[in-house]
Structure formats: C-alpha cells, structure tokens
Amino acid sequence: MLLKPYRKFKSNATRENVLNSLRTNYYKEFKKSPIVKTKQIWPDCIYKSTSWVFHSLHFLGVREQPANASNSLNESEEISVRHSSYKTSQPVKDITNCTQVEISRSPEEWKFVERLLPCKTVPIPLPKAEYPSGWKPPAESARTNPYFVRRSKNHMPSVYLYRGFRGHVRITQITHIQGNIWALESDLKKYLLKSNNNITTQVHELANALVVLSPTAEDGEIEVRISVGVGFAGESGPRAIVKTEVKNPESKLCQKISDYATEEQLYDFLVDFFHNICFRHLLVSPKDRRVVIVESLLCPTLFRETLAKALFQHFEVTSLLFVPSHLVTLCTLGVDTALVLDVGYQEAVLIPVETKTKLLSSINGDGESNSAGLENLPDEIVEDIIVRTCFVTSLERAKKAEEGDAPPPPPDVSYSEGGLPSFNIPGTIREQAFEVLFQQDDDGNSIPTMILDSILKCSIDMRRPLAENILLIGGTAMAPGFKARLLAELKHLVLTSKYSSKIALQTFKFHTPPAKDNYVAWLGGAIFGGTDILAARSLTKEVYMRTNEVPDWVSLDYNWRDDEKISI
C-alpha cells in the first residue's frame, strides 16, 4: 500500500526500502521520548510524538526495550527529559526545586510585565525638577525665539562632534535648525569669539545645518591658514597643512622659520618644526624613514644644508631627496612638457619644463605683494581678508577703471576677526586687490608678460606645446576669477605690437590638476616618492655622514655626467 506513493520519490524502491524508512523514522521519534516512570515531572515537559509512524510501530519499541530500563532511573537524579526536541535544550529537573507559577489573564497584572519589556519607542520624559544625568528639557519659551534647534528622537540636542586627521581637527555640527539660521550663526560666533579668537563657521541652508570649525593650536587642532603640506608617499592628499612657524624660546612668541638670525637658530627652528610634524600630525617616528622634500629652485643653499643636517643628525632618517616643485607637479598630470607657474602670497615663479628638463635660462620671477589698500593691517589679517572677501575682476571692468569710467563697485562687506570690532571692506578694495598681478610695472613686467617672455626665450618648436600646457599652482592661483582673467590677458597681449610680430600663438590652455592648487606640488612629490626610483636618487645617511655635503644644482660638481668629468 505504501510502496506505490514511495516510488514517486524513488522509482526503483522495493518493499524492504519502505520498511527500513519506516523503522528509521520510528527510532528517531522513540529517542526523543524516552520512557520515564516517575510522578515528579510535569506532563507538559515530556515530549509526545504526533507521528502516525510512532504509534503504528510502537510494538518495535516495546520489543527492543532493555530489560532493566525501568530500574535505571533514580528519583534523586536529574531526569533526562528535555523541554523540547532540540538537544541543546535544558533537561527537566526536580519539580520541587522550581518556582510555582500561576497562569493569569488579568490586564491589571500585565501592566507590571510591560514595565520589564524593552520599549519600542523612546518614552516622553516625566517632568521633574532635576534629573540624575543633568539633562534639561527644552523650555517652552524657546519656541518663540527667531531660531530653534529641535531635539533628536532621543530627546538630546542635535549637536555632533566630528574628528578628522586622526583627531587633530574637530568639527562641531548643529542640525535640525528651525527659523533664522543666519541669526543663529551670528549669535553663536559672537559667543564663541569670547573664548577663541579663530572660529570658522559654515551654513548649510538646504540641510538646516551649521558647521563650526575651531582651529586652535593649543587644543591639538590644525591651523587653517596654509604654508606646508605633510603626509606619506602614495596618498592622495596631505595629512595636514600647517604654518611654518615655531615658538621662539627667547621671546616665547611664534616666529616664522624664514626669519632666522644665525645658522644655529635656523637649526633649532627646523628641529622644533619637524618634531611637531612627526609626533603631532603624522604620529610616526622619523628614524629609519625615507624623506622627500619638495622645494623651490630658488631655495637658499644654507637652508637646504641646515635642513639636511637636522634630518640626518637629529632625526636619523635613512635617506633624503630634494625634488624641485615645478618638476614633480607634472607627475600629477602624466605629461613631460608644461609651463609651470607658481603664484604664492608674495612672489610668483615661472619655469618652463621640456621633456622633464627645467629650462633654467627661461626662469622669471615677480616679487610683488597683492595686499593693495591693506598695508596698515597685520599680515595674518590681510591674508584672511584676501582669501575670504577679495576676487579677480574681469578684463573689461579693469580696462574701464584704467580709463576713468569705472563701473559700479561690488557691495561692501563687514569683516571681524579675533573678537575685534568689525570694520568695513570697500568693494573697490575687494575688486582691485589682485590687480597688482596684472598691472605692468616700470619695466613692463607682470604675470601675463612673464608667461609670454618665457615662451619667447624657448626654442621655436617648443612654444606651441608650452602655450597649450600651462599649469597653475600656489595658493593665489585659487583666487576666484584668476584663471579666466589670466587667459583674457594672454589673448589680449599677443595682439599688441610688442608680441604680435614675435609670437604667432592664438591658443592658450590650462591644465586642471587632480588636487587643489595649493598642494599640487605635494601630490607630485607623494607620487614620485612611491616609485622605485626614490632609492637610486636619494642621498643616504652613510654618504652624508662621510662627505657632509648635499648635492646642489647650482654647483657644477654635481651636474657633470661621469663621462664628462675632467681630472686635474
């Protein structure tokens, strides 16, 4: 009778196969429900099989039961009956040792059970005079203010602290702002300036959020104003951008490294500066590490030699490599020919690079400062005003201003820094602060003329590739409108009588590097430092300690090929 439906699953099944399957299923159920002869067990704790196979073939269990099965149990021992069919369930113990329970369906008693269950939602706090944790509920009068910060679902203020650069940068974000978010920013900034004179805020109006950056050096955070980028080779960005300043042990004031009096003082400044970089920003020991310094070609020889002395003798680095900033920037673009213009705060240096070779005869430099109209203020305030408020105007507006028909100036802005009283920045200063970069001096030099003069000094076959591969780096190149104004100036100057007969160029193209303009040179050094050529080009510690010299491109002793050296 069972053979026919069994053959639906196994076509070649026989009568013996059916009997073996039934016998196996019965023994599985028989092991789950052992025979227990004691009265001290709850009836519900004993597993009762509901399978028809178990009841139909029960005679197999009676026949195969051991003769001494009824005498194998002792009332003092734990009974091997489990609460369920799983082997991991606890065995049933003596009923006299268990707590007596009573089943109840009273809703009043169920309320006490609900107090022990976890809540699905955060309950509304009960009003109290004070709470043990110090938490305070929002006041009802706060809703009548021009702005209001809504609590989160946990009844906590929506204020969050984010840490970056391994905990060195702390950013506070306020979300769920309702009402006038700009009034909140103004009031909060005035309050924070009483204790910290360097606060930066940013409003995210669409997300109703306010971001506060407090760059205080004493709190372990990084200064916002940039000077030097530090990090590791192979990374896409610097770990930190810090100012080249150290605390003078004599005056106890911060002093720029470049303002040294003697070589010994420069050595002490560099030791303090690199100690701060390694153990505060990078959090690594410089011992037995390779160091890559991205430098300017116009760096003084005394500075290079003192820097190498500090790194080799004090920090005991394995090797040191000085790479020119104008050359390694091309590593970020994958090109070998470009016209690299580095526009800094006080000077601009232009160097053409042809097939990864610097054309030193075409170097141009400009030492003008772009702080027109702000000479009576400290350099830190002037730099902050230029970065935050000033921009590069268009060529048309600049021409009209030179002709005396000045267009309407941009709106004025109110500026306040360091808790000082705010003062007004006129719109004319905002627009004309960068004009010193494009106005020709008595010798007819400016940044656009620097580019054209450098192209003229190069060979004829390289003029067009250089004009179509211009790379701008440096912090000043990030000014709004700088690239557009420079392109317009170049197109205008090539049509003048001074250059029209010498340069037959009409197209100028600017590269867009894969990083911010102020640390493109650092990224090129990081890429160069991640290659295998670093070990072959670096100056090792053993060679330096033996010769006590640093290779310098201005010395012919290090620029001769081995087959061109002459023995005297």
Side-chain angles (χ1 to χ4, degrees), residues 57-59 87 135 200 224 260 289 323 370 413 453 470-472 493 524 536:
L57 303 179
H58 187 63
F59 63 93
K87 293 183 178 181
W135 177 82
T200 303
V224 174
Y260 59 90
R289 285 185 175 268
V323 291
N370 54 353
V413 247
D453 292 342
I470 301 177
L471 176 60
L472 304 179
L493 287 176

Side-chain angles (χ1 to χ4, degrees), residues 493-542:
L493 287 176
V494 294
L495 300 178
T496 60
S497 58
K498 181 179 179 181
Y499 297 101
S500 60
S501 59
K502 301 178 181 179
I503 300 179
L505 296 175
Q506 300 294 332
T507 304
F508 297 91
K509 297 181 180 179
F510 296 94
H511 281 284
T512 302
K516 296 293 184 180
D517 296 339
N518 58 341
Y519 66 87
V520 175
W522 179 93
L523 180 59
I527 297 175
F528 188 85
T531 59
D532 297 336
I533 200 174
L534 178 63
R537 294 289 185 91
S538 301
L539 174 64
T540 61
K541 179 182 177 182
E542 292 77 11

Side-chain angles (χ1 to χ4, degrees), residues 368-506:
E368 295 289 341
S369 176
N370 54 353
S371 57
L374 304 174
E375 293 84 358
N376 297 328
L377 297 175
D379 292 341
E380 293 79 6
I381 301 298
V382 171
E383 182 181 356
D384 193 65
I385 291 176
I386 292 175
V387 172
R388 294 177 181 271
T389 64
C390 299
F391 60 93
V392 181
T393 186
S394 61
L395 179 60
E396 293 75 11
R397 290 179 62 90
K399 291 295 183 183
K400 291 182 180 180
E402 291 180 1
E403 297 172 357
D405 185 16
D412 302 344
V413 247
S414 179
Y415 178 83
S416 177
E417 181 68 20
L420 301 175
S422 61
F423 56 92
N424 191 47
I425 306 295
T428 55
I429 293 182
R430 296 179 57 204
E431 188 178 18
Q432 298 177 3
F434 289 96
E435 289 303 306
V436 68
L437 303 176
F438 305 97
Q439 294 175 355
Q440 299 182 11
D441 55 9
D442 297 336
D443 298 330
N445 295 327
S446 65
I447 287 184
T449 60
M450 284 171 54
I451 297 177
L452 297 179
D453 292 342
S454 297
I455 294 177
L456 280 176
K457 293 179 182 180
C458 299
S459 58
I460 298 178
D461 59 328
M462 291 305 302
R463 292 178 181 178
R464 184 176 296 277
L466 291 175
E468 295 181 354
N469 293 274
I470 301 177
L471 176 60
L472 304 179
I473 62 176
T476 305
M478 300 174 62
F482 180 82
K483 295 182 180 179
R485 174 67 181 278
L486 182 58
L487 180 61
E489 290 279 353
L490 292 175
K491 292 182 177 180
H492 172 72
L493 287 176
V494 294
L495 300 178
T496 60
S497 58
K498 181 179 179 181
Y499 297 101
S500 60
S501 59
K502 301 178 181 179
I503 300 179
L505 296 175
Q506 300 294 332

Side-chain angles (χ1 to χ4, degrees), residues 9 18 26 46 86-87 89 139 149 151 169 188 191 200 279-281 315-316 380 423 425 449 496 513:
F9 305 97
V18 177
Y26 169 77
I46 300 177
Y86 296 100
K87 293 183 178 181
S89 58
V149 180
R151 300 291 182 100
V169 172
L188 183 61
Y191 176 77
T200 303
F279 296 100
R280 180 178 178 184
H281 300 295
F315 294 101
E316 299 181 359
E380 293 79 6
F423 56 92
I425 306 295
T449 60
T496 60

Side-chain angles (χ1 to χ4, degrees), residues 28-100:
K28 289 181 179 179
E29 296 294 328
F30 180 77
K31 292 179 181 179
K32 294 179 182 180
S33 56
I35 301 175
V36 178
K37 294 183 178 180
T38 178
K39 298 180 180 180
Q40 295 181 347
I41 300 179
W42 291 321
D44 296 338
C45 296
I46 300 177
Y47 176 75
K48 297 179 180 180
S49 177
T50 58
S51 175
W52 66 271
V53 177
F54 177 76
H55 296 285
S56 301
L57 303 179
H58 187 63
F59 63 93
L60 295 176
V62 175
R63 185 175 56 186
E64 297 183 11
Q65 178 182 351
N68 57 350
S70 58
N71 299 328
S72 61
L73 294 176
N74 192 349
E75 295 183 359
S76 61
E77 298 179 354
E78 292 186 358
I79 303 172
S80 60
V81 177
R82 302 182 182 273
H83 291 282
S84 64
S85 61
Y86 296 100
K87 293 183 178 181
T88 57
S89 58
Q90 297 294 330
V92 178
K93 300 181 180 180
D94 190 356
I95 190 174
T96 57
N97 298 329
C98 300
T99 304
Q100 298 294 331

Side-chain angles (χ1 to χ4, degrees), residues 326-343:
H326 291 74
L327 184 59
V328 295
T329 51
L330 301 187
C331 296
T332 63
L333 302 175
V335 298
D336 55 6
T337 300
L339 190 65
V340 184
L341 174 62
D342 187 359
V343 188

Side-chain angles (χ1 to χ4, degrees), residues 223-429:
E223 293 288 347
V224 174
R225 295 194 300 112
I226 62 176
S227 183
V228 172
V230 294
F232 295 97
E235 295 186 350
S236 60
R239 293 291 182 94
I241 301 179
V242 297
K243 296 192 299 181
T244 52
E245 291 182 353
V246 293
K247 183 174 292 185
N248 193 330
E250 299 178 358
S251 61
K252 304 299 181 181
L253 299 176
C254 289
Q255 183 177 345
K256 294 182 180 179
I257 296 179
S258 58
D259 297 339
Y260 59 90
T262 61
E263 183 179 354
E264 291 74 15
Q265 189 180 29
L266 176 61
Y267 179 84
D268 296 336
F269 285 173
L270 291 175
V271 168
D272 294 342
F273 181 69
F274 273 92
H275 185 275
N276 181 43
I277 287 177
C278 296
F279 296 100
R280 180 178 178 184
H281 300 295
L282 300 182
L283 302 179
V284 295
S285 175
K287 187 177 181 180
D288 299 333
R289 285 185 175 268
R290 302 181 183 271
V291 179
V292 178
I293 302 294
V294 181
E295 63 162 357
S296 173
L297 283 178
L298 306 180
C299 180
T301 303
L302 176 62
F303 191 91
R304 299 173 77 252
E305 293 178 351
T306 309
L307 177 59
K309 179 181 178 182
L311 292 176
F312 280 122
Q313 296 184 3
H314 185 84
F315 294 101
E316 299 181 359
V317 298
T318 302
S319 63
L320 178 62
L321 176 63
F322 290 93
V323 291
S325 59
H326 291 74
L327 184 59
V328 295
T329 51
L330 301 187
C331 296
T332 63
L333 302 175
V335 298
D336 55 6
T337 300
L339 190 65
V340 184
L341 174 62
D342 187 359
V343 188
Y345 181 67
Q346 291 185 340
E347 65 180 7
V349 180
L350 176 67
I351 300 180
V353 181
E354 177 184 351
T355 317
K356 299 181 181 178
T357 303
K358 303 174 291 296
L359 304 180
L360 302 182
S361 60
S362 304
I363 292 181
N364 277 321
D366 190 357
E368 295 289 341
S369 176
N370 54 353
S371 57
L374 304 174
E375 293 84 358
N376 297 328
L377 297 175
D379 292 341
E380 293 79 6
I381 301 298
V382 171
E383 182 181 356
D384 193 65
I385 291 176
I386 292 175
V387 172
R388 294 177 181 271
T389 64
C390 299
F391 60 93
V392 181
T393 186
S394 61
L395 179 60
E396 293 75 11
R397 290 179 62 90
K399 291 295 183 183
K400 291 182 180 180
E402 291 180 1
E403 297 172 357
D405 185 16
D412 302 344
V413 247
S414 179
Y415 178 83
S416 177
E417 181 68 20
L420 301 175
S422 61
F423 56 92
N424 191 47
I425 306 295
T428 55
I429 293 182

